[in-house]
C-alpha cells in the first residue's frame, strides 16, 4: 500500500547542511518531511490530506507540493496542484498561503497582490535578494514574488510555449520545472524543450539557452552546446559555478557548465532502477529534484520513492534511510 512507504513520489528535496536538515517534498503524501541529513525524522508538515488549508503543522493541507526554498526560518513551498505558494514558519509551526488563490490562472501575465493573484502549477522556487522566483510550469513563465511588498508578477517568458531567447518578457519558455540561483543569475530546467536555460534577475535582462534546441529535440547525448540532448529534466542546482541537473527521463544526473555549455553524465547508468554504488554503476528512476549542500548532493529519486545521497568527492551513491517517520 502507498502509505506503507516512508515517502511516496518525492518530487523535490532541499538540503541545509549547516543546520543538519533535509526538507523533502513528500509529494504524493501531500506533506513536507523534515529529517536530519542522515534521515532521522524531525517533523512532518501537513496532515497528509490533499487540500488547501493554513494552520498548524498537524492540520495544514497541501496538494502535491514540489519545490522548496529556505529563507531564515521560513520554508517556501511550491504547492503545485493548489496553484499556490505556501510559507512554513519553522519556529511558530504555522503554514500560511502567501501567493495564489487556490484556483488555476487562465491567463498569463497578470501581476498583482500575491494572495489575490491566480497562479498555475508552480513547480519550483528559488530565493535571491529579497525575491522568491517561481518556475511557473503551467504558464511557461518564471514569476517573481517581492517578499517586501507582497507583489507577484511575471519575470520571464511571454507565455507562449517554445524555446526562444531574448529580452525577459519576450522570451519563450516551455514548462519550467526546476529553478536555482547562484545569486547572480537564475538557472532553470525547461522541461518540454529538454533544455537548461539562464535568466537574469535584473528586469532589463534576458533569457539565454545553455543546452537544448527545440520542443521535440530530446535524447541522451553528452557534448557541447547544441549537440547536447537531455530528456525532460525536472531538477537543478548550482554549486561552485557548475549546474547539476536531474535528467529525469534519462534516469541520470548530468553536470552542465553554464560558461562552456558542456554537458556530461555524472551519475546513473541510464537504466531505470535502484542501485547504489559508484557513479556509472548507480541507477535512478526518474529523479525529479536535486540539492547541493556540505559536500553532498541529495536527489529526490521520485519513482523509487527515496532520497539518494552522493559524496561529491568519491561520487559514490547511497540511499538515505528515513527513520522514525509516522
Amino acid at each position: 500500500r502507498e502509505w506503507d512507504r516512508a515517502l511516496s513520489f518525492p518530487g523535490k528535496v532541499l538540503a541545509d547542511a549547516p543546520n543538519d536538515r533535509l526538507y523533502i517534498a513528500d509529494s504524493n503524501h501531500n506533506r513536507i518531511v523534515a529529517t536530519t541529513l542522515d534521515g532521522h525524522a524531525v517533523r512532518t508538515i501537513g496532515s497528509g490530506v490533499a487540500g488547501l488549508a493554513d494552520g498548524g503543522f498537524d492540520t495544514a493541507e497541501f496538494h502535491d507540493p514540489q519545490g522548496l526554498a529556505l529563507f531564515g526560518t521560513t520554508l517556501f513551498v511550491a504547492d503545485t496542484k493548489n496553484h499556490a505558494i505556501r510559507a512554513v514558519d519553522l519556529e511558530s509551526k504555522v503554514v500560511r498561503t502567501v501567493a495564489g488563490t487556490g484556483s488555476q490562472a487562465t491567463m498569463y501575465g497578470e501581476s498583482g497582490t500575491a494572495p489575490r493573484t491566480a497562479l498555475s502549477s508552480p513547480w519550483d522556487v528559488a530565493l535571491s535578494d529579497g525575491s522568491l522566483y517561481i518556475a511557473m510550469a503551467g504558464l511557461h513563465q518564471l514569476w517573481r514574488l517581492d517578499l517586501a511588498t507582497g507583489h507577484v508578477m511575471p519575470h520571464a517568458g511571454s507565455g507562449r510555449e517554445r524555446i526562444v531567447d531574448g529580452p525577459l518578457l519576450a522570451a519563450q519558455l516551455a514548462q519550467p520545472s526546476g529553478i536555482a540561483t547562484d545569486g547572480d543569475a537564475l538557472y532553470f530546467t525547461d522541461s518540454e524543450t529538454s533544455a537548461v536555460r539562464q535568466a537574469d534577475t535584473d528586469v532589463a535582462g534576458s533569457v539565454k539557452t545553455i543546452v537544448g534546441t527545440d520542443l521535440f529535440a530530446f535524447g541522451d547525448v553528452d557534448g557541447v552546446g547544441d549537440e547536447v540532448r537531455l530528456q525532460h529534466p525536472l531538477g537543478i542546482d548550482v554549486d561552485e559555478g557548475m549546474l547539476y541537473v536531474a535528467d529525469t527521463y534519462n534516469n541520470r544526473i548530468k553536470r552542465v557548465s553554464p560558461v562552456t555549455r558542456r554537458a556530461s553524465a555524472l551519475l546513473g547508468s541510464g537504466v531505470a532502477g535502484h542501485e547504489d554504488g559508484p557513479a556509472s554503476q548507480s541507477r535512478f528512476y526518474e529523479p525529479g529534484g536535486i540539492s547541493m549542500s556540505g559536500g553532498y548532493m541529495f536527489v529526490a529519486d521520485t519513482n523509487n520513492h527515496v532520497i539518494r545521497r552522493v559524496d561529491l568527492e568519491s561520487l559514490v551513491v547511497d540511499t538515505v534511510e528515513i527513520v522514525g517517520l509516522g
Side-chain angles (χ1 to χ4, degrees):
R1 292 177 306 164
E2 171 198 316
W3 273 95
D4 290 339
R5 306 189 192 108
L7 306 174
S8 183
F9 297 100
K12 303 287 185 184
V13 61
L14 175 65
D16 177 19
N19 292 302
D20 188 26
R21 287 291 180 269
L22 277 183
Y23 297 99
I24 303 163
D26 190 10
S27 305
N28 203 47
H29 283 155
N30 303 300
R31 64 182 181 178
I32 309 300
V33 171
T35 74
T36 61
L37 292 176
D38 59 2
H40 286 81
V42 176
R43 64 176 61 92
T44 58
I45 303 163
S47 68
V49 174
L52 178 57
D54 290 345
F57 284 4
D58 292 340
T59 58
E61 296 173 0
F62 298 87
H63 193 185
D64 193 25
Q66 296 287 332
L68 307 165
L70 190 63
F71 183 62
T73 58
T74 300
L75 180 70
F76 290 98
V77 180
D79 195 6
T80 302
K81 288 185 181 173
N82 277 325
H83 311 291
I85 303 297
R86 315 294 290 283
V88 176
D89 189 319
L90 298 170
E91 287 190 334
S92 67
K93 297 181 172 58
V94 169
V95 177
R96 61 191 178 94
T97 302
V98 293
T101 63
S103 297
Q104 186 170 15
T106 56
M107 296 289 291
Y108 46 77
E110 294 188 354
S111 61
T113 303
R116 295 198 291 270
T117 301
L119 311 180
S120 181
S121 302
W123 214 275
D124 201 5
V125 284
L127 282 154
S128 181
D129 196 26
S131 290
L132 185 75
Y133 292 91
I134 305 163
M136 198 76 74
L139 297 176
H140 310 302
Q141 293 176 313
L142 304 182
W143 280 49
R144 179 168 60 88
L145 170 60
D146 187 315
L147 297 179
T149 66
H151 199 74
V152 68
M153 66 214 79
H155 179 75
S158 69
R160 295 182 182 275
E161 184 185 18
R162 278 187 62 203
I163 184 167
V164 176
D165 292 344
L168 286 173
L169 292 174
Q172 295 178 26
L173 318 184
Q175 201 175 306
S177 301
I179 190 168
T181 181
D182 58 6
D184 294 319
L186 303 170
Y187 303 99
F188 62 100
T189 52
D190 218 23
S191 301
E192 286 295 291
T193 52
S194 296
V196 176
R197 304 176 74 185
Q198 178 176 336
D200 294 317
T201 54
D202 187 326
V203 295
S206 61
V207 173
K208 68 178 182 179
T209 299
I210 300 169
V211 297
T213 61
D214 191 36
L215 272 169
F216 305 106
F218 58 87
D220 190 358
V221 181
D222 291 351
V224 179
D226 289 352
E227 68 192 29
V228 173
R229 293 291 182 270
L230 308 175
Q231 190 170 1
H232 203 83
L234 290 176
I236 190 168
D237 205 357
V238 56
D239 187 59
E240 295 185 352
M242 296 297 290
L243 306 178
Y244 295 84
V245 177
D247 191 5
T248 305
Y249 287 4
N250 283 326
N251 305 300
R252 295 188 195 264
I253 307 300
K254 302 286 179 71
R255 181 162 53 194
V256 180
S257 168
V259 177
T260 67
R261 301 177 67 208
R262 177 173 293 279
S264 56
L266 183 70
L267 303 165
S269 68
V271 176
H274 184 182
E275 191 75 39
D276 289 338
S280 62
Q281 298 173 27
S282 61
R283 291 187 180 186
F284 298 81
Y285 190 6
E286 295 192 5
I290 194 164
S291 182
M292 322 288 291
S293 193
Y296 286 85
M297 173 196 304
F298 293 86
V299 178
D301 195 6
T302 305
N303 285 9
N304 278 324
H305 313 289
V306 295
I307 303 300
R308 313 291 289 279
R309 174 177 49 204
V310 185
D311 183 314
L312 291 176
E313 286 193 4
S314 67
L315 292 182
V316 171
V317 180
D318 70 350
T319 300
V320 178
E321 182 182 356
I322 307 296
V323 177
L325 183 61

